[in-house]
Amino acid sequence: MNGARRNGSSPSPAGASVVIDSFPGTVGRYSDDHRIVVVDVIRATTLAVTATAEGRRCIVARTPDEAVATRDRLGGGILAGELGGDLPAGFDMNNSPAELAARTDTELPLIMVSTSGGPLMIEAGVGAGGADVACFRNFTAVTRSLIGTHRKVAIIGAGSRGEFREEDQMCCAWIGELLMGAGYVPETDETRQLIERWSGAPATACESSNSVAYLRRSGQLHDYDFIVNHVDDLDYACSVEGNEVVAESPVLRASTAAVG
């Protein structure tokens, strides 16, 4: 499996368990007694992780109006995102990790909105201690930060249009498999089945997803290429605290070398 080479070495807590679920509305099931990991590979969590890799501030807004107000309060910033797949009026860019990585204005904060991933990050981030933010780029580092520190873990995919999309299933399953390797027990049959389904799958296995179909229709396949060619290339975890995504440790600019 991608990333298994860097699994954490800390022992898992007694009675450790992991569950995989989807959609922002499920956060409340786990917020009291689980460490939550949020996943929206195409594209919100990949955008957020890429922003922090460049040393940017990354703030998640609930609405375009809130994003504009945040930019004005900060005295500048990049407005990025989508609602229903459309670029909000007045925004600088879609929620494109490829486009963000090509920019050089890393001193500007990123202020983002997203149909599914944004609400998931905000909902999970309001709890005590926040939540972890994962994508293909940093799933091993996120897993390593969980082992030995959190007894119960809930990995939640953002979902889109009522679907738990393949790319999110894969990332959730990869994290779950690494946790199982460290002694965590799946809490549900569905969790075990997802882990078994995606074990050993290459990143390109998500090509059949409706998310990729949308990128193809809208001429944004450069983001699919970016995502599947940047797997496990960032060796740090991220968390969302309130509505801000922060790196585990300060990062000036991470390597963007592709991993096969």
Side-chain angles (χ1 to χ4, degrees):
M1 185 189 69
N2 289 312
R5 63 192 180 280
R6 294 209 307 257
N7 192 12
S9 57
S10 301
S12 61
S17 63
V18 57
V19 63
I20 295 173
D21 212 327
S22 59
F23 306 112
T26 64
V27 168
R29 299 176 187 172
Y30 309 105
S31 55
D32 288 342
D33 57 356
H34 287 69
R35 177 64 174 184
I36 294 175
V37 182
V38 298
V39 174
D40 186 0
V41 172
I42 302 178
R43 295 170 282 180
T45 60
T46 304
L47 179 68
V49 169
T50 299
T52 62
E54 299 178 332
R56 295 183 189 271
R57 288 190 69 183
C58 179
I59 298 168
V60 187
R62 295 182 183 275
T63 66
D65 286 346
E66 182 181 305
V68 171
T70 300
R71 181 196 60 188
D72 294 345
R73 175 173 54 82
L74 294 175
I78 300 167
L79 299 180
E82 55 74 33
L83 287 177
D86 297 324
L87 181 71
F91 269 47
D92 301 300
M93 55 177 281
N94 211 306
N95 59 345
S96 168
E99 185 175 341
L100 185 69
R103 298 180 68 119
T104 59
D105 51 1
T106 55
E107 74 283 356
L108 293 177
L110 182 79
I111 304 142
M112 60 179 290
V113 296
S114 171
T115 303
S116 300
L120 176 60
M121 284 190 276
I122 292 172
E123 185 69 22
V126 297
D132 289 294
V133 178
C135 63
F136 285 1
R137 300 196 69 178
N138 72 335
F139 71 92
T140 294
V142 168
T143 307
R144 188 171 57 245
S145 75
L146 297 167
I147 296 170
T149 57
H150 298 283
R151 188 173 67 85
K152 302 180 76 173
V153 176
I155 316 165
I156 303 179
S160 181
R161 299 182 184 274
E163 296 181 318
F164 187 8
R165 298 277 172 94
E166 284 84 350
E167 65 278 1
D168 290 347
Q169 291 185 31
M170 290 167 63
C171 190
C172 293
W174 291 350
I175 295 169
E177 184 171 11
L178 290 176
L179 289 173
M180 283 183 63
Y184 286 68
V185 176
E187 295 182 17
T188 64
D189 289 341
E190 291 81 1
T191 297
R192 185 181 298 276
Q193 290 164 5
L194 279 171
I195 291 170
E196 291 174 351
R197 176 183 179 185
W198 296 111
S199 178
T204 52
C206 70
E207 188 173 3
S208 61
S209 168
N210 281 330
S211 301
V212 179
Y214 162 73
L215 293 179
R216 184 176 292 110
R217 290 194 307 271
S218 59
Q220 298 181 88
L221 276 178
H222 56 285
D223 280 323
Y224 168 75
D225 293 337
F226 181 91
I227 287 166
V228 299
N229 285 297
H230 290 78
V231 176
D232 216 14
D233 66 322
L234 296 178
D235 194 23
Y236 74 96
C238 290
S239 62
V240 55
E241 301 172 5
N243 69 336
E244 184 161 359
V245 181
V246 296
E248 182 181 67
S249 57
V251 177
L252 295 179
R253 189 171 181 93
S255 168
T256 56
V259 176

